[in-house]
Amino acid sequence: MAPLPLWLLWLLLPLGPRAQKLPTRNEELFQMQVRDKAFFHDSSVLPDGAEISSYLFRDTPKRYFFVVEEDNTPLSVTVTPCDTPLEWRLSLQELPEEASGQGSGEQEPEPLEQQRPQATHETGAELLSYQGNDVESFVSAGAPSGLYRLELLSTEKDAHFRVYATTTPASDHSRPQADIQKVCIGNKNIFTVSDLKPDTQYYFDVFVANGRSNMSTAYVGTFARTREEAAQKTLELKDRKVTEVFVKRKGAKLLRFAPVSSHQKVAFFVHSCLDAVRVQVRLDGKLVLSQSVEGVRQFLLRGRPKAKYLLRLKGSRKGASLLKVLASTRPGKHAFPSLPEDTRIKAFDRLRTCSSATVAWLGTQERSKFCLYKKEVGDAYSEDQRKREQNQCLGPDTRAKSEKVLCKYFHSRNPQRAVTTETVRGLQPGKAYLLDVYLVGHGGHSVKYQSKVVKTRRVC
């Protein structure tokens, strides 16, 4: 069966012209200096100031050589693995003395490709050894003269790589650099490139390569420009009305609050149902608040006549975010309950029986309503399932009546004594149960504590 071609997509972001006269090597001097011809058997010479792209077969090393002709020469050698980790090492050998008898009728040295290899056991002094798939460089401001040998090996699979060696790193880095990305897409002929910048021009090259012979052919490249970023829609907040907001992963949402009446203070209640979010508030264009919010937070700001508040909610990198937001110019009784710092439910192992479990949780300094619910779960109940059910914005109204254990009011002026305990009865022996505690605020909005799984004893 003929091997399927491998499609490669190259993405180039041009940042400016790259015209530069690259330094060249004195090949005649190079051949005069190198006597040990075995070094150059089945290997290549690295050009000075130009990047090369090549290919490694698995477990087959490849060697490159680079000559520095004078001491204290700046030197930079960079290896870029493209699709798999590589092992590579850079070593240095002294240059042999120039051949004696110059001008005495000796013959010109043979070209490299005609020289016959000879065995050698000299490996030189190791300068750098690396294993991995990161871009790694050897850099020296004053490298000694000598013959530099770069050896590369791929032990996992056949691999592409790039090598760049230069004795003029300062001038090379002062021309604009292009951000080049390569994506292997198999045998597909349609591909969507994501995470591009808006209103930016990109250049695309497509190559088709034979994975067995490493032969490749390039298509005609093309330019494409991304569209301008669409203006973000702004949600309007109403005074003392709860607004639910969904924010995509790493996304953002804008909310606007413009009170119609004069006010001395304004309160913003933000309830992050899942992961933490970044909240920024601007008052008439000036940034007045920027904080990370997890759970329920209240922000109290000084009012201003005809003020306009702009809230920006930035999602987390972990996943999508769900929030409840309330703005009020009359911050009296809290619409959202104030949670204690620790929202864990503690289970007492010694008090477990075959039909009951005893748990405790922290209360608040204000008189609040707490509701306890239970649900039987299987032995295979996983941490991922628990996280999916950890949405703090889901209230007791979403639970079945049969799952309700009790509701009660509790508070303590002393935070150190604001602990309440309850015993859940009527459980089955050897079963696992998911326990949830809800704190219900004056406005009916609730916040859920962290869920707890308890298991009754099998034998009593």
Side-chain angles (χ1 to χ4, degrees):
M1 179 182 295
L4 290 173
L6 174 66
W7 293 84
L8 305 178
L9 173 66
W10 287 87
L11 168 63
L12 170 64
L13 171 61
L15 299 180
R18 300 189 63 183
Q20 180 192 20
K21 181 177 174 60
L22 298 175
T24 57
R25 185 180 311 288
N26 188 329
E27 202 66 37
E28 182 179 355
L29 176 61
F30 175 78
Q31 293 188 19
M32 289 290 293
Q33 288 177 326
V34 180
R35 288 185 310 187
D36 199 340
K37 306 173 184 60
F39 279 128
F40 296 90
H41 177 61
D42 191 26
S43 61
S44 302
V45 178
L46 289 175
D48 192 342
E51 186 179 63
I52 67 165
S53 298
S54 192
Y55 191 80
L56 277 173
F57 291 103
R58 184 170 67 90
D59 294 331
T60 304
K62 185 169 283 191
R63 301 174 184 86
Y64 291 92
F65 299 86
F66 189 86
V67 167
V68 174
E69 298 164 356
E70 299 180 358
D71 288 333
N72 297 319
T73 298
L75 175 63
S76 174
V77 179
T78 301
V79 176
T80 304
C82 294
D83 45 19
T84 193
L86 300 180
E87 298 177 16
W88 63 271
R89 64 186 296 267
L90 182 68
S91 57
L92 169 66
Q93 280 189 231
E94 294 184 359
L95 285 174
E97 297 292 334
E98 289 190 356
S100 60
Q102 289 185 357
S104 59
E106 292 189 358
Q107 294 182 351
E108 291 288 328
E110 297 175 347
L112 291 179
E113 61 271 13
Q114 297 179 8
Q115 296 174 354
R116 299 176 61 185
Q118 299 178 7
T120 179
H121 299 288
E122 298 183 44
T123 58
E126 185 174 297
L127 302 177
L128 178 64
S129 179
Y130 176 77
Q131 180 176 354
N133 56 2
D134 290 333
V135 178
E136 188 65 36
S137 299
F138 169 81
V139 179
S140 175
S145 62
L147 177 65
Y148 289 78
R149 165 173 159 163
L150 175 66
E151 184 168 348
L152 305 100
L153 177 67
S154 175
T155 59
E156 294 187 7
K157 61 179 182 178
D158 298 348
H160 291 85
F161 66 92
R162 301 196 304 268
V163 179
Y164 179 74
T166 179
T167 55
T168 56
S171 61
D172 290 352
H173 291 164
S174 63
R175 73 184 179 234
Q177 298 293 307
D179 179 17
I180 302 176
Q181 302 177 30
K182 187 195 75 174
V183 182
C184 297
I185 63 173
N187 58 1
K188 297 184 293 185
N189 59 4
I190 297 178
F191 186 75
T192 300
V193 183
S194 57
D195 295 328
L196 302 182
K197 296 178 181 179
D199 194 26
T200 303
Q201 181 167 269
Y202 291 86
Y203 181 78
F204 296 88
D205 259 333
V206 175
F207 299 84
V208 58
N210 187 307
R212 181 172 296 177
S213 65
N214 198 33
M215 297 293 292
S216 62
T217 303
Y219 282 64
V220 178
T222 186
F223 287 94
R225 177 175 290 275
T226 53
R227 295 180 178 178
E228 295 184 8
E229 194 168 17
Q232 206 168 28
K233 184 179 179 180
T234 303
L235 300 177
E236 293 288 340
L237 293 175
K238 301 298 182 181
D239 201 345
R240 298 189 63 83
K241 297 287 186 181
V242 176
T243 300
E244 293 191 358
V245 183
F246 177 79
V247 184
K248 295 180 180 180
R249 185 177 74 90
K250 298 193 297 184
K253 281 291 179 65
L254 294 178
L255 295 86
R256 181 175 175 268
F257 181 54
V260 295
S261 59
S262 61
H263 57 284
Q264 294 181 340
K265 295 181 179 180
V266 62
F268 290 99
F269 297 88
V270 180
H271 184 184
S272 177
C273 308
L274 300 173
D275 293 320
V277 295
R278 169 66 60 175
V279 177
Q280 291 182 337
V281 180
R282 293 182 180 273
L283 173 57
D284 294 333
K286 181 181 179 181
L287 183 66
V288 294
L289 176 71
S290 180
Q291 289 191 23
S292 179
V293 173
E294 191 169 8
V296 176
R297 290 290 301 275
Q298 175 189 356
F299 304 107
L300 193 62
L301 303 177
R302 182 174 298 177
R304 183 184 299 174
K306 299 182 180 180
K308 293 181 176 59
Y309 302 86
L310 186 67
L311 281 73
R312 185 176 187 269
L313 308 176
K314 176 68 175 177
S316 75
R317 295 177 177 270
K318 297 179 181 179
S321 302
L322 181 64
L323 303 97
K324 289 184 177 181
V325 181
L326 181 142
S328 175
T329 57
R330 293 172 291 171
K333 289 187 177 181
H334 296 170
F336 285 100
S338 299
L339 282 171
E341 291 186 2
D342 191 346
T343 60
R344 292 175 297 176
I345 301 174
K346 178 178 174 58
F348 297 95
D349 186 67
R350 291 185 178 181
L351 300 180
R352 276 191 312 137
T353 70
C354 294
S355 61
S356 67
T358 301
V359 294
W361 65 89
L362 288 179
T364 60
Q365 292 178 279
E366 298 179 349
R367 187 171 184 269
S368 303
K369 182 180 179 181
F370 296 89
C371 293
L372 176 62
Y373 282 75
K374 73 176 189 303
K375 182 176 71 172
E376 184 179 337
V377 293
D379 292 334
Y381 187 79
S382 65
E383 184 68 15
D384 289 339
Q385 288 175 289
R386 190 188 70 82
K387 287 182 178 179
R388 283 198 297 269
E389 298 181 0
Q390 195 56 40
N391 185 344
Q392 289 189 343
C393 291
L394 296 179
D397 56 328
T398 64
R399 304 295 296 263
K401 290 184 179 181
S402 59
E403 296 176 353
K404 182 178 178 179
V405 178
L406 60 85
C407 286
K408 70 175 184 178
Y409 286 89
F410 169 79
H411 79 287
S412 175
R413 294 295 181 183
N414 186 349
Q416 296 179 349
R417 301 182 61 183
V419 180
T420 183
T421 62
E422 284 295 335
T423 299
V424 183
R425 307 183 188 279
L427 308 181
Q428 298 297 317
K431 299 293 185 179
Y433 292 86
L434 181 73
L435 301 183
D436 285 310
V437 170
Y438 296 89
L439 173 57
V440 183
H442 297 291
H445 304 293
S446 63
V447 181
K448 188 171 73 169
Y449 280 51
Q450 298 180 41
S451 301
K452 179 69 176 180
V453 176
V454 297
K455 192 171 185 178
T456 56
R457 298 186 186 276
R458 291 185 179 274
V459 180
C460 295

